[in-house]
Each structure stands twice: as C-alpha cells, then as structure tokens.
Amino acid sequence: MEYRVERDSMGEMHVPADRYWGAQTQRSYQNFRIGAERMPLEIVHAFGILKKAAAIANHALCPERMTDEKLAAIAQACDEVASGALDDHFPLVVWQTGSGTQSNMNANEVIANRGNEIACRRLLHPNDDVNMSQSSNDTFPTAMHIAAVLGIEDRLMPQMRRLIETFRRLEAENADVVKSGRTHLQDATPIRFSQEISGWRGMVETPLEMLEAALPALRRLALGGTAVGTGLNCPKGFAEAVARAVSAETGKAFVSAPNKFHALTAKDALVFAHGALKALAANLMKVANDVRWLASGPRCGLGEIRIPENEPGSSIMPGKVNPTQCEALTMVAVQVMANDVAVGMAASQGNFELNVFMPVCIYNFLQSVRLLADAIASFNDHCASGIVANRERMHQNLHNSLMLVTALNPYIGYDNAARTVKKAYADNISLKEACVALGYLTPEAFDEVFHPEQMA
C-alpha cells in the first residue's frame, strides 16, 4: 500500500495515499481498534450537510475568510459526503472519544482534502476553513439531531404509514367476520376480526403520533455553541444562519437551539424520541405475537388466519412452514428495547458543559430507527399484506366458545350462567343443552336471545 505524509499539531502521520482523511483520523484509526461498529453512515452524511451549511453561513457573515472559491470547493465536497459517495473515507469506530471529536475531524479532513483536489490547489485547511466557527462539541450533537430527524421522517415513518394502510385494507376485507375474543389467553366474548385488526393499526398509529411529538426538540441544533455553549469564535447570527441553511439542504424545519448550554450537554431529546421508538417496538412485539398465535397450526394450533409461506421451516420436518417474519420483528423489538437502556444511560453521563457518551448514544438510536424501518417493511410486505382469515375455523371456534354464555346474563343471571358453563364443560355438551337441562330457558327462548354474531 502506498502512503502519503499528513501533519497535525502533534506531528506527522502516514496515511493511505488513496484516502482523503488526514493525520487526526489516522491517529484515531490506529488508537481505537475496538470492535467492528463503525460510526453510523447517517452521521457521516449529516456531517456533509452541516459542514456545507456552516460554510454557507460563514460566507454570508465572513466573506473575507470564507471566499467564493472556498465555499464552492467545500460545498461540492460536502455534497459528495452527504450523498454517500465518500463513505469509504470514514473508517472510524463508535468506540472513540465520547465527544465525537475524531469523527468531526474525519469530516473536516476529508472535506478539506477533497476540496483541495476540486480546487486543484491547497486551498482549504480542515480546522481553519471546514471547521470555521465550529467545535466538535457543537457539530457532533448537531449531526446527531440531523441524522435522527432524517432517519425518523424519511426512513421509519413511511414504513409505519404503509403498515397502517395494510391494516386498514384488512379491516375493510374482514368487517363481516365475527370470531371469539381472547383475554388472559382464555376464551372471551366475540369480536369482529376487523376490530382486532384495528387494535393492531392503533398500535402503529399511536407511536407515530409520539414520534411526531418528539420531532420539534430534535430539530433544535446545537451548532453555534462552539466549545462550551458560549459561542466563542462564532460570528453573531451564525447559529441562525446555519439552521436556515440546514433546513434548505434537507427540506426539514431545523432551528437554532435557544439554550446552547443545554444543547451541548443534554441528550434528553434523543431519550424522549427513543422512548417513542421503544413504545413502537413494544407494540410491534404484541402485534407479531398475535399474528403468529392466530396462524399457529396448521392443525394443532389456533389456525384462525393464514399467513404467506415464504420459505421451508425445518431441515428435518418436510412441509413445515414457520412464522419467520413475526420472529424477525420480535427480535428487532428486543434489540430496540435493549437500545433504549443504552440511550438513556448515555444521556445521563453529561459532565459540566459536555456529554461524552454521544457516539454510543447515537449509534444505538440510529440502529433502532434502521431496524424498525426495515423490519416493518419486511413484515408488511412478506406477512401482514398476505393475512387471510380462516373463516371456517373462526366460526367453529366462536360457536364452540363457552364465553358466549355472557349473552344470557340479562335473562338468567350471572350465577345461573356460570352454572350453565360449568355443566356444558363438564358434560361436553353445548350451552343450549346445558341451559335447557338446568331448566333456565326453553329451547325456543334460548334461540330467541342467543345470537353470537350480534355480540360483537
């Protein structure tokens, strides 16, 4: 491998000749060989957005320092970073400095070296130009918020809405199907299958509302606070100008955080938003479990619905097919709920003017967004969209349910209804036969008041 010599304040470093990063990135790359978890690409792309926005703001406020030529070179390099074209030039792992300083410098160095290549001369300095008016302490939390908003709005929410629409369609298709309800895993009174599905829909809609409520705090950007929140070396109006530029680049309504001291050290907005992600995960766990229980069988389980058969389910049992999409979704739910612990603990570790657990905080947050979006899409396309009611089994289970006796409460009373159920169960006879045998109703009177399909 060929190398070139790069320099920083600590001296010279040999850097791979085909990479745009510089000395500080190389130091981190060599000093933190911990795990395989690289800084999320969402953060890398967010750095491309914020560094371009900072250059635009600096050009407007300090044109003598951020010249037209510098802005053009930085902007083009940043566009390449934000698009993912330079992903291979960001090698650093999550397990680095807790402020994310090395990833900030990775961005500065890549943008400066690529910008110099664009300008065909050594025009840009990573600190003086690309990092102008900034500190790692305000850029990294800004990148966190940009990445979080883009991930939630552009990746996760569309998949949630697709699943909601699938459930709406299934509700319409099954509005006439009445089945036995279940509570405590025991038979309960009747319910329409469409009503059961509407509960699933609500379990996606409500976390969607929670995520929407969490977005305003995530749209507040720390940029402009620089090192400790005072805005040292930052021109007046820079924070607001950057927020406007980020909004223009992303199409999202970002604003400057009103309290930079809070923005640098607190990660409460991410904790709050991840709480909504955890709520979604908890609800999806329940939905996926319902689906696989209802599809259990095909002969020895409930068998009330059929789901798509996507792949063989056993290496030894021919013909076996398993609810694999449900299993994948529930495993994702477990991971997201575990991630919530890491996000909350990381957010609690602010000391004085800075939180130094930011990389692990955003790593887990973005993993949750990514996993939920992908798992919901997979579950929707390969399972939920193909759910079909087994109407015969639902009808059979409904009319075999002893809890239909609840309809008789107004006519024979709770205690007599309980005796009817116990006799029917003990003698393995129908509710009608038990009720008539006990003398509570005549056969004609029983038929007149007993209509299971009207109980839903």
Side-chain angles (χ1 to χ4, degrees):
M1 180 182 293
E2 295 184 3
Y3 293 90
R4 70 178 190 279
V5 175
E6 287 275 349
R7 296 171 180 82
D8 61 11
S9 61
M10 295 184 71
E12 295 183 347
M13 291 292 295
H14 287 81
V15 176
D18 61 346
R19 293 293 180 258
Y20 289 125
W21 70 70
Q24 290 199 48
T25 302
Q26 188 66 29
R27 291 184 194 281
S28 179
Y29 184 65
Q30 294 177 189
N31 291 339
F32 296 93
R33 298 186 183 276
I34 305 172
E37 295 81 9
R38 286 174 58 179
M39 187 62 64
L41 289 175
E42 296 95 329
I43 290 293
V44 171
H45 302 159
F47 265 115
I49 294 168
L50 78 87
K51 294 294 179 180
K52 181 179 179 180
I56 292 170
N58 281 321
H59 179 260
L61 298 170
C62 308
E64 69 285 355
R65 292 180 58 199
M66 182 58 65
T67 63
D68 291 346
E69 185 182 15
K70 287 183 177 181
L71 173 60
I74 290 175
Q76 183 176 334
C78 286
D79 285 342
E80 293 177 7
V81 171
S83 71
L86 301 182
D87 286 352
D88 289 343
H89 300 269
F90 291 84
L92 302 187
V93 295
V94 171
W95 320 108
Q96 53 165 280
T97 172
S99 62
T101 298
Q102 291 147 11
S103 283
N104 178 49
M105 284 308 304
N106 189 180
N108 291 334
E109 291 173 341
V110 168
I111 293 166
N113 283 329
R114 175 60 183 138
N116 289 335
E117 187 176 70
I118 292 167
C120 299
R121 69 187 184 93
R122 198 163 186 82
L123 174 69
L124 303 173
H125 187 281
N127 298 80
D128 295 337
D129 299 307
V130 184
N131 202 59
M132 180 179 170
S133 307
Q134 306 153 59
S135 163
S136 298
N137 296 351
D138 65 351
T139 58
F140 199 86
T142 297
M144 292 169 73
H145 277 213
I146 293 172
V149 170
L150 294 179
I152 290 171
E153 287 197 333
D154 294 347
R155 186 164 187 171
L156 177 56
M157 284 181 166
Q159 299 305 331
M160 295 173 71
R161 294 188 179 103
R162 287 183 63 231
L163 184 56
I164 288 168
E165 289 308 308
T166 293
F167 287 148
R168 287 191 191 280
R169 173 179 61 79
L170 290 173
E171 287 175 64
E173 292 174 359
N174 293 280
D176 62 330
V177 180
V178 179
K179 51 163 288 184
S180 177
R182 294 179 178 88
T183 60
H184 304 271
L185 293 181
Q186 303 295 307
D187 301 344
T189 55
I191 185 173
R192 293 188 181 277
F193 188 35
S194 59
Q195 293 171 324
E196 191 167 43
I197 297 169
S198 77
W200 299 344
R201 171 170 54 82
M203 288 191 150
V204 184
E205 287 176 331
T206 299
L208 181 60
E209 294 171 359
M210 294 173 179
L211 284 170
E212 288 171 343
L215 285 171
L218 289 174
R219 293 194 184 104
R220 299 173 190 157
L221 303 182
L223 211 60
T226 64
V228 296
T230 62
L232 180 68
N233 293 341
C234 172
K236 185 177 181 180
F238 175 78
E240 293 73 20
V242 166
R244 289 193 296 271
V246 171
S247 299
E249 287 294 312
T250 62
K252 314 293 182 187
F254 288 97
V255 298
S256 177
N259 186 329
K260 298 298 189 294
F261 306 101
H262 167 265
L264 265 60
T265 194
K267 298 293 158 272
D268 46 12
L270 289 160
V271 173
F272 184 78
H274 201 278
L277 298 178
K278 181 173 70 171
L280 174 61
N283 284 356
L284 291 174
M285 175 73 81
K286 189 269 183 190
V287 171
N289 278 333
D290 280 1
V291 169
R292 62 178 166 183
W293 273 106
L294 290 173
S296 61
R299 292 186 174 178
C300 298
L302 295 179
E304 290 193 345
I305 64 173
R306 299 184 181 93
I307 58 177
E309 298 182 350
N310 297 315
E311 62 274 320
S314 173
S315 61
I316 189 173
M317 293 174 281
K320 193 173 192 296
V321 180
N322 297 329
T324 51
Q325 290 295 322
C326 297
E327 291 164 7
L329 186 57
T330 52
M331 284 192 289
V332 164
V334 167
Q335 185 63 59
V336 171
M337 287 185 271
N339 286 350
D340 192 68
V341 177
V343 170
M345 290 187 68
S348 73
Q349 298 303 308
N351 301 117
F352 302 115
E353 279 64 60
L354 187 66
N355 178 287
V356 291
F357 283 66
M358 288 191 285
V360 70
C361 180
I362 197 60
Y363 174 81
N364 284 279
F365 186 98
L366 293 175
Q367 185 191 56
S368 293
V369 172
R370 195 183 313 118
L371 288 176
L372 284 168
D374 292 351
I376 290 171
S378 184
F379 178 74
N380 181 72
D381 295 344
H382 302 296
C383 183
S385 62
I387 289 175
V388 176
N390 184 341
R391 295 178 177 232
E392 296 79 10
R393 180 67 68 86
M394 288 184 176
H395 183 272
Q396 177 185 352
N397 288 343
L398 172 67
H399 285 266
N400 197 40
S401 172
L402 297 177
M403 290 305 101
L404 297 179
V405 76
T406 307
L408 303 180
N409 286 359
Y411 306 99
I412 64 176
Y414 182 96
D415 290 340
N416 288 338
R419 295 186 186 96
T420 300
V421 167
K422 291 178 180 180
K423 181 173 181 58
Y425 183 71
D427 296 350
N428 195 26
I429 58 177
S430 68
L431 287 173
K432 180 178 180 179
E433 292 170 323
C435 189
V436 171
L438 291 170
Y440 297 143
L441 290 173
T442 64
E444 295 75 18
F446 184 94
D447 290 338
E448 185 176 340
V449 301
F450 189 75
H451 301 289
E453 282 75 13
Q454 297 178 12
M455 294 173 67

